[in-house]
Amino acid sequence: QVQLVESGGGLVQAGGSLRLSCTTSGRTSSINTMGWFRQAPGKEREFVAAVSWRYRGITKTAESVKGRFIISRDYAKNTVYLQMNSLKPEDTAIYYCASSGLTFPTMKGEYNYWGQGTQVTVSS
């Protein structure tokens, strides 16, 4: 099994920045891709970004956050980050990190381990 723990959420004003962290442990050898998803009240959980666990520098980002959000990984710390800049009120959601044995999946059903989520609230 893989354990994922997110941190770094909070309340920020529009235009501000936050950095989310997701620390992994357990059977990390089974991971191919790490992803971030978000779920706003009354909406489906949606893909935000993904990073290759095995190959440095390979990422994928949703169009809705491209140019504002950056996903990265610290190999030494087994931690994935989501740097969120120029935040907007519509970015308000619970953010989840997840792991997958597949290569850059974007559907939530293709990720098999999930963290508990961290709340991000952007005020206008």
Side-chain angles (χ1 to χ4, degrees):
Q1 286 205 343
V2 176
Q3 292 79 44
L4 307 173
V5 179
E6 302 104 332
S7 61
L11 173 64
V12 64
Q13 288 189 330
S17 299
L18 280 175
R19 188 178 78 159
L20 306 183
S21 301
C22 174
T23 301
T24 64
S25 61
R27 194 165 165 260
T28 57
S29 60
S30 66
I31 300 173
N32 197 340
T33 304
M34 289 294 298
W36 284 98
F37 286 74
R38 66 185 182 184
Q39 188 166 17
K43 294 190 176 181
E44 292 288 321
R45 191 171 298 188
E46 65 173 359
F47 171 78
V48 175
V51 63
S52 173
W53 189 250
R54 303 174 189 269
Y55 303 106
R56 294 178 187 267
I58 301 177
T59 63
K60 178 182 287 189
T61 308
E63 287 298 321
S64 59
V65 302
K66 193 167 288 186
R68 300 189 297 123
F69 290 13
I70 301 170
I71 188 170
S72 63
R73 182 198 163 180
D74 184 325
Y75 285 77
K77 295 182 179 179
N78 276 347
T79 299
V80 176
Y81 302 99
L82 185 67
Q83 177 67 43
M84 305 186 293
N85 302 318
S86 301
L87 282 161
K88 305 174 182 180
E90 51 264 43
D91 295 318
T92 295
I94 299 174
Y95 283 72
Y96 299 88
C97 72
S99 68
S100 174
L102 304 176
T103 302
F104 283 113
T106 59
M107 306 296 290
K108 60 182 185 291
E110 297 173 306
Y111 286 78
N112 45 3
Y113 294 102
W114 293 82
Q116 80 286 356
T118 185
Q119 177 71 48
V120 171
T121 303
V122 184
S123 63
S124 57

